[in-house]
Amino acid sequence: MSKRIEVNDLNVYYSKFLAVEEVSLVIEPRTVTALIGPSGCGKSTFLRTLNRMHEVIPGAYVTGEVLIDGNNLYGPGVDPVLVRRQVGMVFQRPNPFPTMSIGDNVLAGVKLNNRRMAKSDADALIEKSLMGANLWKEVKDRLDKPGSSLSGGQQQRLCIARAIAVEPDVILMDEPCSALDPISTLAIEDLIEEMKADYTIVIVTHNMQQASRVSDRTGFFNIAGTGKPGRLIEYDDTTTIFSNPGVQATEDYVSGRFG
Amino acid sequence: MTTAVERPTLKAKERPGDRIFSTSTIVSGSLILAILAAVAVFLLVQSLPAFVADPEKFKGDATNFWQYVGPLAFGTLWSAFLALLMAVPIAIGIALFISHYAPRKLAQGLGYLIDLLAAVPSVVFGLWGIGVLAPLVQPFYTNLVEWFGWFPLFAGPVSGTGRTTLTVAIVLAVMVLPIITALSREIFLQTPVLYEEASLALGATRWEMITMAVLPFGRAGIISASMLGLGRALGETMAVAMVLSPSRDVIFQLLTSQNPTTIAANIALNFPEANGVGVNILLATGLILFVITLVVNMIARVIINRRKAFSGAN
């Protein structure tokens, strides 16, 4: 299930504005990669290009290529809808569908692929996915309740369950803990550690302790100034980035010193 | 024994702005109730004589008030229901096109156009119904009766003028279309991006995104919009009065020259020559229309509240 991501010379544009410039990196399967950097440096934008979610914004496009196990996401004739079925995403704010029950939320993505599903298969998948998201014990008796009845941390784990139910190759997380309390954050971080066995995970975070706790490799993004494109400054093993970074800007950022 | 400690009364300082604002909201809130009550009382008092009126006072072959108002109430509900049946899917389609498919510039232009349609007076729609629509659809009705006459709703004999219940329903549908479209569009635009992105990230196509996120989220709003449209269709007078030559029977057939008229159109047509208890009878039918509208709105409320927990409002 887990796949290798290779990004070559990727530029991201919003209409004429160059938002992210010349990113090249390789993400190995079964690893957690953290993307850190100041606000507006393009890390979320870059993350979204990995499942073509940036195209939701009118006028956004990229040049360069993103290869997942050698297949270019931006090759001719590639359907973004199919890309997103292979590359799941978890957002900053928990967004389970409020109009669906907890169980239906888990199945939301699966039902897009095959509508008719035996009740027993559906139940088994709900249990498996919620187990995978460490949520099963808490919600097993109220699967028919609305997803919005859960706490923020539980909602976020429900979103993770929804993402893994479709068995993607890669899971992208855009600041998944920034709206959560420390206990819920810990629960998600533990979960990321477990999920690493099956998935390639890329996570954007503002929390550097979190990056150092959960990730194997870290990429540091920065911008030279307002209106300038974001760049990938340094990409290395997490321990190296946090203890002995090769670039001064990275060291300033991870140690909390700027400018 | 404990002595009662005098509790210090803590009161926020009253500012004139707060007072003016709260008073004005209370006044306007009460005003709407008062107006509604006044209308209800007026209708009730005025319609009392109708319930005990002499049989010969009723037009047609009705012998009491309920026999008189029954077919009218049926005609009102039937034509309004048919109008909604046509208008709601089209309105949702237009609203979705404007909110999620059309390029921004086109969407704005279309939005204005729809609002403009809402401003057309109903007399104009009535004239359009008689002068343009009825002759236009008549040949089509003839074919419909010929081929699908076995289906009870389309049974013959076909009307020679095209001025039938179906024509009225089409005119009403065009009239309620703008209000349903405009409201639905607003509601669809308010779908949180959060949920739209959630479905897209799961690999939903745009249509699947709409069925997963936009429509469920807008469900209560669509029902409310349809009820407003229904309210207009139920109370519509001129278009119906102009298009139909009325008869007072319960007739389901859509294409014959015998068509049930509506309460509002019946009042408009008969009021000028009504006198004495005849006026009371017409006002009593107005009371029934008032009650029908109230009941329909209550049903809509119940439908909206039934799945409140899943509405996304929490």
Side-chain angles (χ1 to χ4, degrees):
Chain A
M1 296 214 283
S2 183
K3 287 191 175 169
R4 182 173 189 268
I5 307 170
E6 190 179 337
V7 180
N8 294 324
D9 300 327
L10 191 79
N11 293 298
V12 190
Y13 296 85
Y14 290 121
S15 298
K16 283 182 184 137
F17 174 68
L18 177 59
V20 179
E21 189 178 29
E22 289 295 311
V23 175
S24 299
L25 53 77
V26 173
I27 296 168
E28 295 298 334
R30 294 175 213 285
T31 59
V32 178
T33 302
L35 304 178
I36 60 171
S39 292
C41 69
K43 53 195 188 307
S44 287
T45 299
F46 170 71
L47 188 78
R48 284 168 161 255
T49 61
L50 298 181
N51 68 346
R52 297 184 66 164
M53 274 300 283
H54 68 289
E55 289 170 11
V56 170
I57 296 161
Y61 68 98
V62 304
T63 62
E65 53 181 18
V66 176
L67 307 170
I68 291 190
D69 266 11
N71 301 315
N72 189 2
L73 296 191
Y74 294 94
V78 174
D79 183 356
V81 167
L82 296 180
V83 168
R84 292 177 197 142
R85 289 183 188 181
Q86 288 161 33
V87 184
M89 190 158 190
V90 177
F91 294 84
Q92 184 171 0
R93 278 179 57 196
N95 55 1
F97 297 111
T99 51
M100 292 183 194
S101 69
I102 293 172
D104 287 343
N105 257 295
V106 176
L107 296 178
V110 186
K111 280 189 177 159
L112 291 175
N113 291 311
N114 77 23
R115 297 203 165 262
R116 306 227 169 273
M117 198 179 196
K119 176 93 171 66
S120 55
D121 290 352
D123 288 343
L125 182 63
I126 292 176
E127 180 169 350
K128 182 175 156 229
S129 306
L130 286 172
M131 290 267 215
N134 274 339
L135 192 60
W136 175 249
K137 280 195 204 124
E138 290 154 69
V139 302
K140 65 174 182 229
D141 297 322
R142 45 177 174 149
L143 292 174
D144 55 340
K145 295 278 186 302
S148 50
S149 66
L150 300 174
S151 76
Q154 290 171 327
Q155 287 188 22
Q156 194 62 299
R157 275 179 284 153
L158 178 57
C159 292
I160 294 175
R162 181 175 68 187
I164 60 181
V166 292
E167 305 192 331
D169 304 318
V170 178
I171 292 181
L172 309 175
M173 298 187 176
D174 191 355
E175 298 184 45
C177 303
S178 66
L180 305 183
D181 68 279
I183 309 267
S184 307
T185 300
L186 198 66
I188 303 271
E189 286 180 8
D190 289 345
L191 181 56
I192 291 172
E193 193 63 35
E194 289 169 28
M195 284 162 60
K196 198 168 90 172
D198 296 317
Y199 303 97
T200 310
I201 297 172
V202 185
I203 173 172
V204 164
T205 177
H206 269 139
N207 181 334
M208 276 173 289
Q209 284 81 30
Q210 181 170 66
S212 64
R213 279 194 298 263
V214 300
S215 70
D216 304 300
R217 307 220 355 131
T218 298
F220 171 60
F221 281 78
N222 205 353
I223 39 171
T226 332
K228 301 265 174 51
R231 288 171 151 275
L232 178 62
I233 304 295
E234 193 172 355
Y235 177 57
D236 211 327
D237 286 339
T238 299
T239 45
T240 314
I241 292 279
F242 281 95
S243 60
N244 190 20
V247 182
Q248 185 62 38
T250 315
E251 188 175 344
D252 289 348
Y253 186 77
V254 299
S255 62
R257 275 179 285 122
F258 282 93
Chain B
M1 266 197 39
T2 53
T3 47
V5 181
E6 201 175 317
R7 189 179 292 173
T9 47
L10 208 65
K11 226 177 164 199
K13 191 180 164 220
E14 286 196 28
R15 292 172 182 79
D18 287 345
R19 260 165 116 177
I20 294 169
F21 184 71
S22 79
T23 316
S24 65
T25 50
I26 289 170
V27 167
S28 16
S30 329
L31 201 63
I32 194 81
L33 283 178
I35 292 172
L36 205 66
V39 169
V41 167
F42 163 78
L43 281 175
L44 259 173
V45 170
Q46 289 291 315
S47 24
L48 283 179
F51 297 116
V52 291
D54 286 339
E56 66 263 26
K57 296 285 183 194
F58 294 100
K59 284 196 161 194
D61 43 11
T63 54
N64 65 35
F65 176 70
W66 301 110
Q67 276 182 15
Y68 178 76
V69 80
L72 292 175
F74 165 79
T76 307
L77 284 169
W78 184 227
S79 58
F81 167 76
L82 289 171
L84 270 200
L85 206 63
M86 286 184 268
V88 169
I90 298 176
I92 292 176
I94 300 173
L96 279 178
F97 177 72
I98 294 176
S99 65
H100 284 84
Y101 285 90
R104 187 173 294 181
K105 275 181 189 161
L106 182 64
Q108 263 175 1
L110 270 175
Y112 284 126
L113 217 65
I114 295 287
D115 291 344
L116 213 63
L117 203 58
V120 176
S122 58
V123 173
V124 176
F125 279 112
L127 283 173
W128 174 72
I130 300 178
V132 180
L133 187 67
L136 195 76
V137 290
Q138 204 283 327
F140 175 69
Y141 287 171
T142 312
N143 288 335
L144 211 58
V145 169
E146 213 167 288
W147 296 335
F148 297 102
W150 48 267
F151 187 65
L153 287 184
F154 301 139
V158 69
S159 155
T161 57
R163 290 160 65 173
T164 71
T165 303
L166 189 58
T167 311
V168 165
I170 294 171
V171 173
L172 287 177
V174 175
M175 290 177 70
V176 301
L177 196 63
I179 191 163
I180 303 178
T181 307
L183 285 172
S184 308
R185 182 194 57 170
E186 287 303 314
I187 288 149
F188 294 155
L189 284 175
Q190 279 170 17
T191 313
V193 178
L194 214 62
Y195 303 122
E196 295 185 0
E197 288 195 336
S199 53
L200 287 175
L202 286 170
T205 60
R206 197 182 297 209
W207 169 242
E208 285 164 339
M209 181 266 277
I210 284 167
T211 55
M212 276 171 97
V214 179
L215 289 180
F217 202 84
R219 193 175 150 276
I222 295 170
I223 294 174
S224 301
S226 308
M227 285 307 122
L228 277 175
L230 183 62
R232 192 172 178 195
L234 285 174
E236 179 46 41
T237 311
M238 283 322 293
V240 181
M242 289 167 82
V243 171
L244 284 187
S245 50
S247 62
R248 287 189 202 85
D249 296 298
V250 175
I251 303 159
F252 279 95
Q253 282 88 321
L254 299 175
L255 307 173
T256 64
S257 48
Q258 292 282 306
N259 298 288
T261 188
T262 69
I263 291 177
N266 184 59
I267 294 176
L269 286 176
N270 290 314
F271 204 80
E273 51 196 75
N275 53 25
V277 78
V279 175
N280 297 112
I281 291 170
L282 289 179
L283 281 170
T285 61
L287 177 69
I288 301 298
L289 181 59
F290 186 76
V291 171
I292 289 175
T293 317
L294 215 64
V295 169
V296 163
N297 274 304
M298 278 170 166
I299 294 172
R301 278 285 135 213
V302 170
I303 295 173
I304 292 171
N305 284 341
R306 211 177 41 196
R307 277 173 59 88
K308 206 172 198 169
F310 288 92
S311 71
N314 42 0

